[in-house]
Structures are given as C-alpha cells and as structure tokens.
Amino acid sequence: MKFSKYNIFSTQNNKIIVYNTITEMILEFDKDFFLSLKNHPSEILNIIHKNDKKYILNSKIIADDEIEKNNIIKNKLVEAKSVNTISLFITPTLFCNMNCIYCFQSAYKKSEMTQDIANQTIQFTKVLLKSKKTNILNIVWTGGEALLKVDLIKYMSCNIKKILDNNISFQQKVITNGLLLNENNIKILNETGISSIQITVDGLSNTHNQRRTSNKYNSFDKITQNIDNLLLNYSNIHLALRINIDKSNLNSYIEILTYLNHRYVNKNYSVTPCFVEQFDNMNIDDRIHNILSHDEQTKFLLNAGRLYYDSLPIDFLPQRKSANCMLKRKYSFAIGADGSVYKCYIDVGNLTKRIGHINNPSFLKNKFYLSDIKISNKCYDCSLFPVCNGSCPKKISTLNNNKNEHCHIAKGYEKKFLKFYMENIIK
C-alpha cells in the first residue's frame, strides 16, 4: 500500500488537508507527520495508535491503487446497468417559438408528435416497466418548445400514470423557454404532477433578448412575468433557472444572479451556470470562437464563487454523483416527435443517430450503455477519477482528446478547489 493517487492535498494554517476522492473523507495533518506518512506509509502505520491506523486506512488515503481502480470501474458498470431508474426524454415537438443563437436542433427537420405516436410512446413505456424491476420512472418533457404541445403532455402523463404500479415513483420535469408559461399552462403542469420546470435566462434584458430572440415578445420581460406568477403561486414546483455562458456574456451570470436574488427572496428556485459547448452535430458557425475553454470555465467558476459561494450549485469539493449521462445508463432513452429513439437527447432529430423506434422495442436487446465510452490510462491515474463520470462521450469524440477540454471542471485546479472549499466552510 502507498499514498493513494486518488488524494488531493492542500495547505491551510500550517496544516496539510488531504481529501480522498474514493471515500470523500477530509483529513488534517501536521506537515511533518504528513510527509512521513506519504513517504513511508507502512512504517508509520505500524507505530501509530490502532484507532488512528484504522481511521487512516478507512479513509483510503493509504491504499492499493490497483485494487481501488478495479472497484471503481466495477461500481460504475453496475450503476450503468441498474434498472432501478428508467429515464425518458420525450420531445412532443421540434417546433419552437424562439430563435436561440446556440440551438443544436436548428438544422433538423421540424416535426410534432401525433396522437398515434403518443399512444405508441405510452406502450413503449409500458414495455420498459414490465420487463424491469424499476422503482423510479423519470420523464423530462422537452423540445423544440415543449409547451406548444402542453395538452399532449397532459394526455400522455395521465395515461402513463395508469400503467404504473403503486411502488413506482413517477417524477416529471419540463424544459421550456418560458414564453408560454402562462397561468393556464402552469395550472395544467401542476395538475399533471410536474415537480420541476427548467427555463434558460442568459442575462438581463438586453443580453438575453440578443441571444434568445422572439418575433412576438420582449422575451426577457415575458419570461420574468411568467416566473413571477410561478414562484408566487406554485411553491410546490421547483424552478431550475439555467444560464448558458460563453465569452460574450461572461458578466451576465453575476448580474442576473444579483437581480434574481433580490427579486425572488425565499422562493423555490435555483440558478445554474452552464457553458455553451460544441458537439459534432451543432451548427453555431462563426460563434465557435465564443466558446470558453476548460481553463476559462474553471477560472470563471472560481471567480464567481468568491462573490456568491452559497448561491453556486457547484461542488468545489469534487464529489461523486450518480451517472446522469444517458449514454452511460442502460435504461435511459430520448424519444423524438416521430417516435425515433436515441441514446442522447442532443441527437433528437438527427436521424443518423437513432437506435430504433418505439413501435419495435427489439432494439432494447442491444448493449448501448458504455458503447462509445473509452477510458484512457490518464483517466485511471487522475485523482478525480473516482468522482468523475468520464465526461460527456460526445465531447470526447468532438474534441479529439484535446488537453483537459472534456475533463472534470476541477481538472488542473484540484488543490485550488480544495483550498477554496476549506476557506469557505470555516468562515
């Protein structure tokens, strides 16, 4: 056994802080003891008190890295095969009432779901549920603009509920641009059982309206008006506000966060910064130069954290999350408006990427999970490997292994993240 490569360490107040990304335990040492333990682990473990030895071994800061690496890989594969949760991204329409500068669906043929395809989707869901021991059915209604087909969402949701066993938790989320989130549609979504609504706001009025345009409305004013009503009268629905960031609106996150924090005090919402990305099927032409590099993204988050640490939904202490990438989960699918099935919601509408159709579930016998995921040796040797889900496979293929560009957001800044976290929790 030796000092684990899955340790991150930093100094604070003349102490050494060690964070192990396998156990997610933090230990504090005197510098001299830390150096002795790091350089001569076996000798030190043999002379310290048995309780201290047990605690250090349980933390895995001293471990057999090969054994731990194999356990991590095994656990990731078990999670990928899990039938506990079935996740579906359902697109009732690819039509939209906005024109966003970074839309990855703009090049695809527009279509909307018919009643027949809706019924086939319900039957497909029934097939998935019947063949698996599932505890959770998670559906995300998206688009295009999902609320253009709000009545179809209500119809499908109500009929899916009828096929669920009592022991299955049915969780639903809607992704919308917010323009059609009027009182009538909120009421429908609330009655349907929607627990979360995601809306993108890319800054204050001028910035937002330039990036997310509408021919009919001042989109920022219309959206904030609808948000006011949602947060005031439907506190049971969580509002997940998203801000898409590139070089052209770097300052907008702090501006809109300040605005929202003053406007919506003690309301049920969160604000998440997300970075505009380039994937193989995206068509953002001359705006490619606006995309932030990995280093620029990380520095942005560290700077934002200094101003709004408590408001940032960012793990400055890198922690493991369940694999939420659809490509890495066996029972996660995206369903297009025409009934085509995909392994990633970004591909919806790109018929070259479909893996089957809901009217012929035989494709479920194929092994799609982890199919396009290649983990390199440099990933195994990275201190963040236990908490990193291997990044987005589509980013990896698009970026051709450019240095760190598809890595965990803390890559290259591990010590700064740990130090930043420690400084903030002891304030």
Side-chain angles (χ1 to χ4, degrees):
M1 292 192 297
K2 60 181 182 179
F3 189 74
S4 175
K5 60 186 175 186
Y6 301 125
N7 291 332
I8 301 171
F9 59 94
S10 181
T11 58
Q12 186 176 29
N13 299 328
N14 293 319
K15 300 285 186 179
I16 303 295
I17 307 298
V18 184
Y19 174 59
N20 182 269
T21 55
I22 301 174
T23 60
E24 298 182 6
M25 292 176 63
I26 299 175
L27 282 75
E28 182 183 88
F29 299 104
D30 291 327
K31 285 186 177 180
D32 290 342
F33 181 83
F34 168 77
L35 290 174
S36 298
L37 181 64
K38 183 176 183 293
N39 297 323
H40 308 286
S42 297
E43 292 90 330
I44 297 301
L45 288 175
N46 284 333
I47 62 175
I48 61 176
H49 191 278
K50 63 179 182 179
N51 290 339
D52 294 333
K53 177 180 179 180
K54 181 179 179 180
Y55 189 73
I56 289 173
L57 290 176
N58 286 341
S59 75
K60 296 190 184 294
I61 67 168
I62 305 295
D64 185 318
D65 284 338
E66 190 64 23
I67 292 175
E68 298 305 331
K69 180 190 78 173
N70 290 334
N71 286 337
I72 295 166
I73 295 171
K74 179 181 177 181
N75 291 336
K76 287 179 184 289
L77 190 57
V78 168
E79 183 179 46
K81 294 180 179 180
S82 172
V83 300
N84 180 63
T85 300
I86 292 175
S87 296
L88 299 175
F89 275 69
I90 301 178
T91 303
T93 180
L94 276 174
F95 285 96
C96 189
N97 55 350
M98 290 191 78
N99 181 26
C100 303
I101 64 172
Y102 42 71
C103 179
F104 56 82
Q105 294 174 330
S106 58
Y108 302 149
K109 182 180 178 181
K110 300 296 182 272
S111 60
E112 61 181 16
M113 188 173 285
T114 63
Q115 189 76 27
D116 182 53
I117 294 296
N119 289 329
Q120 289 183 44
T121 302
I122 295 167
Q123 288 304 309
F124 175 72
T125 306
K126 186 175 182 179
V127 170
L128 284 175
L129 292 168
K130 187 175 181 180
S131 60
K132 310 301 170 192
K133 295 180 180 178
T134 301
N135 295 323
I136 300 171
L137 173 62
N138 178 46
I139 291 182
V140 178
W141 305 97
T142 184
E145 171 47 45
L147 295 188
L148 289 170
K149 300 289 285 186
V150 67
D151 290 333
L152 192 65
I153 290 174
K154 179 181 179 181
Y155 169 80
M156 294 175 69
S157 176
C158 290
N159 281 277
I160 288 172
K161 288 176 184 177
K162 294 176 182 178
I163 64 175
L164 295 179
D165 292 337
N166 292 332
N167 62 329
I168 296 179
S169 172
F170 187 24
Q171 302 173 1
Q172 299 180 83
K173 173 182 177 180
V174 168
I175 298 176
T176 172
N177 58 41
L179 287 180
L180 298 178
L181 197 65
N182 52 46
E183 171 61 24
N184 181 64
N185 285 342
I186 296 176
K187 186 176 180 181
I188 291 174
L189 296 178
N190 188 47
E191 292 172 349
T192 301
I194 302 298
S195 60
S196 177
I197 296 175
Q198 178 182 302
I199 299 175
T200 297
V201 181
D202 276 358
L204 296 176
S205 183
N206 287 340
T207 301
H208 176 87
N209 291 341
Q210 290 174 9
R211 295 165 61 84
R212 300 176 64 81
T213 61
S214 167
N215 293 329
K216 189 175 181 180
Y217 301 105
N218 175 318
S219 62
F220 181 84
D221 289 349
K222 184 65 174 178
I223 291 166
T224 51
Q225 176 186 333
N226 291 338
I227 289 174
D228 287 347
N229 180 39
L230 174 68
L231 292 179
L232 180 64
N233 298 309
Y234 296 88
S235 60
N236 57 306
I237 299 177
H238 176 73
L239 173 63
L241 286 169
R242 171 183 173 124
I243 302 177
N244 291 329
I245 298 170
D246 57 27
K247 292 179 182 179
S248 67
N249 70 330
L250 266 178
N251 296 326
S252 297
Y253 180 74
I254 298 302
E255 291 175 353
I256 191 66
L257 191 59
T258 302
Y259 171 84
L260 294 168
N261 283 345
H262 283 91
R263 188 178 183 93
Y264 304 122
V265 179
N266 298 323
K267 300 300 182 182
N268 186 14
Y269 79 101
S270 59
V271 185
T272 301
C274 298
F275 298 105
V276 177
E277 305 281 7
Q278 171 69 22
F279 297 105
D280 55 359
N281 61 322
M282 288 178 66
N283 180 27
I284 57 175
D285 50 74
D286 60 335
R287 292 177 292 273
I288 183 70
H289 66 276
N290 281 329
I291 292 177
L292 295 165
S293 68
H294 177 277
D295 281 355
E296 289 170 328
Q297 292 177 10
T298 305
K299 289 175 181 177
F300 166 83
L301 291 177
L302 287 169
N303 289 333
R306 292 185 180 96
L307 296 173
Y308 280 105
Y309 182 84
D310 293 332
S311 298
L312 275 175
I314 303 297
D315 289 331
F316 287 103
L317 183 71
Q319 294 178 308
R320 184 180 178 277
K321 292 184 173 66
S322 60
N324 54 7
C325 173
M326 300 178 69
L327 278 167
K328 299 176 185 178
R329 298 194 73 98
K330 187 173 183 179
Y331 299 108
S332 292
F333 301 100
I335 300 173
D338 64 349
S340 294
V341 182
Y342 306 82
K343 272 305 292 175
C344 179
Y345 72 92
I346 286 177
D347 292 328
V348 172
N350 184 354
L351 297 181
T352 65
K353 299 287 187 178
R354 61 182 174 183
I355 61 173
H357 194 277
I358 53 174
N359 64 7
N360 184 10
S362 61
F363 70 85
L364 292 172
K365 298 176 183 178
N366 299 328
K367 292 185 177 181
F368 299 106
Y369 62 96
L370 300 179
S371 58
D372 297 320
I373 301 169
K374 297 178 178 64
I375 300 178
S376 67
N377 288 330
K378 72 174 185 178
C379 289
Y380 293 137
D381 292 334
C382 176
S383 63
L384 294 166
F385 177 60
V387 296
C388 177
N389 284 318
S391 185
C392 167
K394 296 183 73 64
K395 285 178 66 176
I396 294 174
S397 63
T398 300
L399 294 167
N400 296 319
N401 289 320
N402 288 350
K403 181 182 178 182
N404 293 352
E405 288 303 304
H406 53 73
C407 291
H408 190 285
I409 194 65
K411 179 66 176 177
Y413 295 81
E414 296 89 343
K415 292 185 178 182
K416 286 188 176 181
F417 267 60
L418 177 59
K419 187 177 182 66
F420 189 66
Y421 172 80
M422 294 300 297
E423 287 173 351
N424 279 278
I425 63 168
I426 62 175
K427 280 184 178 179

